[in-house]
Amino acid sequence: MSAEEPVRTSSDEKASIDGATGVPVIRNNDGHGAALQTVVLTRKEQKQLWRKVDLRLMPIVMVMYLCSFLDRANIGNAKLQGLVTQLDLTGNRYNIALTMYFLSFYVFAIPANLVIKTFRPSRWLSGITILWGIITTLMGLVKTYPQLVAVRVCLGIAESGLGCGVFYLFTLWYPRNMIQTRLALFWGGATFAGAFSGLLAYAIAFMSGTGGLLGWSWIFIIEGLFTVVVGVVALFVLVDLPGTATFLTPKERGYLVDLKEHDLTLVGEEEQFELRQFKEALLDWQVWTLGFLNLFVALALYGITLFLPSIINGFGFNTTISQLLTVPPYVVGTVTVIVWGIWADRIQLRSPFVFAGLSLCVIGYSINLSHTSIGAKYFGTFLIVTGAYSSVPALLAWISSNVVGHYKRGISISIQVIMSNLGGVIVSNIYRTQDAPRYILGHALELGFVALGIIMLPITVLVYRRINSVRDERHREAGEKAVAYTAQELRRLGDRAPDFRYTL
């Protein structure tokens, strides 16, 4: 077998579930066992391979996602620089403008992940980055409230394919024992965007009056143009799939393709789209259970992301100091996201980190609801940012590890992103202008939602554990009698196959 051609199990081979181990044994038609052949790399070669993949893939997608979060959340900074006054955003107009972004996001999240392999990830992700960069730039030129709403709708449509697209792309490159570290590095870009946004807004504010435009206009224009540049660079840098990666040697490509094929199941995953995969994703209990956990985390995340400048401003600081004080919580959050991601991959657990993140959010929102000092409340914002942002990679790694099948997983990830952005819709309407500066209603509702997440999480873990135990028990009862499945049948069953075990 050549390095470029890793062995795949043919559909007429039999995959038997071994009664002792619960692992499929591939058998030829004559009944004799056949070992799964793989392309072998030494430990040193593996380290070199992952270093090459990380250097080629991670930096560009981290910057792209930083741009994505900058361009969706910089409206919070623009609000303090004259946006509300100049566009007459009275009443709930500002909240409606936020809501329309998230509503438009829903429409294209799932279709975006279904077409990413067809259009090639490098072209698709780079193209939509350039598109939303242009839209962000145009947001700095709007003159009326209806124009702002229209541009926010277009921004939601354009950005809908990036996050879920990159999450899905990672599952095609990295095995599940490595994926949370990469998701954490990637998501760290989004976390750092919060700090970067405050610093940029502070610097750009000095341009107010240039060209007859206020500071809020320049925030959108400059950050939008930066995104366009990043998108153009991505066209030449971003990679597609392991099997077509020319920066790898043939042996390295063969190793990666083979590794990913047998990462979640020894017989490989379904790679062709069928309509039933869409139905299976929609009817899978874990997709919606983890989806609601994503919703509860997103509520905390967007509550702090979109309104942190206003919350800090409500402590009594002026606009300039408020912008600068948004930076430290995000710096701490970024470090925590990455450390937790590496830790989670080492112990191969996801749920403890989600629980820890939700717990920090409960404490943070409780502090901000209480009658305590400004210093204590500011400390509470550190806990919320750290807890909310650090939970996201764990949840995405969790669903990625527990759903088998390329398109089912892609659809499932899109549903997680949709549920997350539903949190943005809710947050946009619970932090009302009339509730400033303490935002008691918003903080109280956030506290309630996060508490629901803490209740749901252990129940989810118990269900996963129960399913794993039942499958183990059935294998023990089978003893030496093996239940034969064809490889095609096991691929079709995916995460419902008797040999599959859920990650907790």
Side-chain angles (χ1 to χ4, degrees):
M1 180 190 69
S2 68
E4 298 92 326
E5 299 173 344
V7 167
R8 288 171 170 77
T9 307
S10 64
S11 60
D12 61 344
E13 290 175 325
K14 297 294 184 181
S16 300
I17 307 303
D18 184 272
T21 65
V23 175
V25 177
I26 307 303
R27 302 186 186 281
N28 299 323
N29 290 329
D30 61 4
H32 291 92
L36 282 172
Q37 294 179 327
T38 57
V39 178
V40 178
L41 295 182
T42 66
R43 186 177 296 275
K44 181 179 180 181
E45 289 173 330
Q46 290 179 40
K47 288 182 178 180
Q48 292 174 341
L49 166 64
W50 292 120
R51 189 180 300 114
K52 289 166 71 173
V53 172
D54 287 340
L55 288 175
R56 188 62 183 269
L57 185 60
M58 295 304 303
I60 187 63
V61 295
M62 287 171 65
V63 175
M64 290 166 74
Y65 207 54
L66 182 147
C67 291
S68 175
F69 250 71
L70 273 179
D71 294 341
R72 79 177 66 175
N74 54 13
I75 191 170
N77 302 103
K79 181 183 178 184
L80 298 184
Q81 298 293 342
L83 172 72
V84 173
T85 304
Q86 188 170 17
L87 298 188
D88 191 29
L89 302 185
T90 56
N92 62 350
R93 284 185 164 188
Y94 175 77
N95 301 82
I96 291 173
L98 295 181
T99 302
M100 294 310 296
Y101 165 87
F102 294 105
L103 289 178
S104 62
F105 191 104
Y106 298 150
V107 179
F108 291 93
I110 292 179
N113 254 16
L114 291 178
V115 303
I116 186 171
K117 288 176 73 175
T118 303
F119 286 101
R120 293 178 50 184
S122 60
R123 294 179 180 177
W124 174 256
L125 297 175
S126 302
I128 61 176
T129 301
I130 295 170
L131 178 61
W132 95 64
I134 294 171
I135 293 170
T136 301
T137 303
L138 294 177
M139 200 182 308
L141 304 177
V142 300
K143 302 298 182 185
T144 65
Y145 165 67
Q147 291 176 356
L148 176 65
V149 170
V151 177
R152 290 292 293 183
V153 169
C154 294
L155 182 66
I157 294 172
E159 281 197 16
S160 63
L162 183 79
C164 52
V166 173
F167 299 152
Y168 176 51
L169 183 62
F170 279 177
T171 69
L172 302 178
W173 277 89
Y174 296 105
R176 65 173 167 177
N177 67 325
M178 299 174 64
I179 197 165
Q180 188 169 334
T181 300
R182 274 67 186 183
L183 285 170
L185 289 169
F186 173 64
W187 186 249
T191 314
F192 187 68
F196 197 46
S197 182
L199 289 172
L200 274 178
Y202 168 74
I204 295 172
F206 292 104
M207 294 184 63
S208 185
T210 304
L213 299 174
L214 295 182
W216 69 265
S217 291
W218 285 111
I219 288 175
F220 291 130
I221 292 171
I222 291 178
E223 293 181 6
L225 290 175
F226 176 71
T227 299
V228 172
V229 172
V230 169
V232 172
V233 172
L235 272 174
F236 300 95
V237 174
L238 195 60
V239 296
D240 291 313
L241 302 176
T244 60
T246 56
F247 69 96
L248 300 176
T249 66
K251 184 177 181 181
E252 289 170 334
R253 287 200 302 271
Y255 173 83
L256 259 182
V257 171
D258 199 48
L259 174 67
K260 278 306 302 168
E261 174 153 4
H262 304 108
D263 177 33
L264 298 179
T265 170
L266 292 180
V267 296
E269 299 183 82
E270 287 190 309
E271 299 184 16
Q272 301 301 317
F273 176 71
E274 294 180 19
L275 191 58
R276 66 172 177 80
Q277 296 161 349
F278 187 82
K279 180 181 178 181
E280 287 174 1
L282 292 180
L283 296 179
D284 194 334
W285 70 273
Q286 61 170 331
V287 172
W288 294 105
T289 302
L290 295 184
F292 274 101
L293 285 172
N294 263 294
L295 169 62
F296 298 140
V297 168
L299 284 162
L301 187 150
Y302 281 116
I304 204 71
T305 299
L306 296 174
F307 292 93
L308 183 60
S310 298
I311 291 170
I312 294 177
N313 188 238
F315 293 163
F317 299 106
N318 61 36
T319 299
T320 300
I321 298 299
S322 296
Q323 300 281 27
L324 291 176
L325 285 177
T326 62
V327 176
Y330 286 108
V331 173
V332 174
T334 302
V335 174
T336 307
V337 164
I338 296 171
V339 171
W340 282 16
I342 297 172
W343 187 7
D345 271 348
R346 285 186 178 178
I347 65 175
Q348 280 301 287
L349 289 173
R350 312 303 178 194
S351 55
F353 298 93
V354 181
F355 185 82
L358 289 170
S359 299
L360 290 178
C361 290
V362 165
I363 298 170
Y365 277 115
S366 298
I367 292 173
N368 274 274
L369 269 173
S370 64
H371 292 280
T372 187
S373 67
I374 291 174
K377 290 186 176 183
Y378 183 53
F379 172 71
T381 65
F382 278 77
L383 298 181
I384 299 169
V385 170
T386 299
Y389 276 87
S390 297
S391 300
V392 173
L395 281 168
L396 290 171
W398 207 0
I399 193 69
S400 300
S401 300
N402 286 347
V403 175
V404 179
H406 284 200
Y407 282 94
K408 183 184 177 184
R409 185 165 58 248
I411 294 166
S412 300
I413 290 172
S414 296
I415 291 173
Q416 306 307 301
V417 175
I418 288 174
M419 293 295 286
S420 295
N421 281 277
L422 177 58
V425 172
I426 296 172
V427 163
S428 300
N429 292 281
I430 63 177
Y431 280 89
R432 305 176 303 177
T433 303
Q434 62 264 38
D435 295 329
R438 291 196 61 200
Y439 295 106
I440 292 177
L441 175 65
H443 289 338
L445 289 173
E446 292 276 18
L447 185 60
F449 285 127
V450 174
L452 285 175
I454 288 180
I455 294 171
M456 180 179 286
L457 182 63
I459 297 174
T460 305
V461 174
L462 287 174
V463 174
Y464 273 137
R465 192 183 298 275
R466 175 60 180 164
I467 295 173
N468 285 348
S469 297
V470 169
R471 291 178 182 176
D472 287 339
E473 182 64 27
R474 287 175 178 171
H475 289 312
R476 283 193 294 269
E477 290 175 355
E480 294 300 320
K481 298 163 69 174
V483 181
Y485 292 85
T486 65
Q488 183 178 357
E489 287 172 337
L490 284 175
R491 280 194 289 268
R492 190 177 181 88
L493 283 170
D495 48 84
R496 293 175 292 121
D499 65 295
F500 185 80
R501 298 295 180 271
Y502 290 111
T503 299
L504 302 180

